[in-house]
Amino acid sequence: LQSKLILMTTLLLIVLPALYFLLYEFNLPQWQGMTMGEKVQAAFFQSVTPRTAGFNTVDLTKISRLGQLIMILLMVNGGSPGSTAGGFKTTTLAVLVISAWSVIYRKSSTQCFGRRIPDDVLRSAVTIFLLYLVLFLTGGMLICSIEGLPLMSTLFEAASAIGTVGLTLGITPDLSLPSRLILILLMYFGRVGGLTLLFAVTARQTASQTQLPQERVTVG
């Protein structure tokens, strides 16, 4: 099941952004000097590199705000479990999407490919996703307030740090010490992993065996 989820999610995360870059982004005026072959290569390369290597073959400062936002989302998502890529991982995204799909169709459990995903896996996926989202947004907004730079640029740097990617819009060398410390902490968190750090902090706390009364809460 894990292999199927990884392959399916990775394929979608490569093809869909590549189609955006090819059909819209590289047809903007600033990219008119590129041939069709260069556009195809650049589209697929910029679709893959935010989740893995962190190399760039085009000037990232010329990419539109929408294109930068897509790259930010790809960097925060990252690679797959067991790899050296950062981010909250493709399986986390897959579990969250499948869980939402199960809720929409009123299924009693999270199901995919003829298998049922345990509830503790879903809870871990939600926790990891929220950790990355909160830290990434907080780091970007703090750097924005400290440096007075555009929010999109600081969010790009924060996403690159927490996803351990290495892409930049060129603002990192000019950042002050507090902003650099924020990026360092984000990189450390992204490399070690959210649950690993939490488990290390709470290692001495034993889980309670008691169960409190259950009560339903309305959401949405």
Side-chain angles (χ1 to χ4, degrees):
L1 176 61
Q2 177 163 317
S3 298
K4 291 179 180 179
L5 290 178
I6 289 174
L7 292 174
M8 178 184 65
T9 307
T10 301
L11 180 64
L12 292 176
L13 290 177
I14 292 176
V15 173
L16 295 182
L19 289 176
Y20 160 78
F21 283 114
L22 178 62
L23 300 178
Y24 176 77
E25 180 66 39
F26 291 124
N27 285 317
L28 295 177
Q30 62 266 36
W31 309 109
Q32 293 306 311
M34 299 175 64
T35 65
M36 179 54 67
E38 292 173 339
K39 291 180 180 180
V40 171
Q41 292 181 12
F44 276 97
F45 194 87
Q46 302 311 315
S47 175
V48 173
T49 190
R51 299 191 307 107
T52 54
F55 299 112
N56 60 292
T57 56
V58 297
D59 188 354
L60 298 181
T61 59
K62 294 182 180 180
I63 292 181
S64 65
R65 294 301 184 187
L66 178 57
Q68 292 178 2
L69 177 60
I70 291 177
M71 295 187 70
I72 287 174
L73 296 177
L74 291 174
M75 286 190 290
V76 176
N77 184 92
S80 299
S83 70
T84 57
F88 57 77
K89 303 299 185 293
T90 55
T91 48
T92 302
L93 177 62
V95 169
L96 292 176
V97 173
I98 294 169
S99 175
W101 189 267
S102 299
V103 171
I104 292 173
Y105 282 89
R106 300 185 178 182
K107 295 181 179 180
S108 59
S109 60
T110 305
Q111 304 172 12
C112 183
F113 294 116
R115 295 292 186 272
R116 181 166 54 90
I117 299 176
D119 291 338
D120 62 323
V121 174
L122 176 58
R123 290 196 298 269
S124 297
V126 172
T127 302
I128 294 171
F129 176 77
L130 287 178
L131 279 173
Y132 272 87
L133 185 64
V134 170
L135 289 176
F136 144 69
L137 290 175
T138 302
M141 289 188 290
L142 285 176
I143 296 175
C144 177
S145 62
I146 294 173
E147 305 295 336
L149 295 170
L151 181 60
M152 183 63 73
S153 299
T154 58
L155 288 177
F156 192 96
E157 302 297 316
S160 179
I162 200 169
T164 61
V165 178
L167 294 177
T168 179
L169 296 179
I171 67 173
T172 305
D174 299 324
L175 295 180
S176 61
L177 180 60
S179 298
R180 293 187 181 187
L181 290 176
I182 293 173
L183 292 180
I184 290 172
L185 292 175
L186 289 177
M187 284 189 285
Y188 185 81
F189 175 87
R191 181 60 276 161
V192 176
L195 286 184
T196 303
L197 288 177
L198 288 179
F199 289 158
V201 173
T202 60
R204 296 183 179 179
Q205 299 182 9
T206 58
S208 175
Q209 300 299 322
T210 60
Q211 290 188 343
L212 299 176
Q214 186 176 11
E215 186 170 349
R216 186 172 297 275
V217 177
T218 302
V219 295

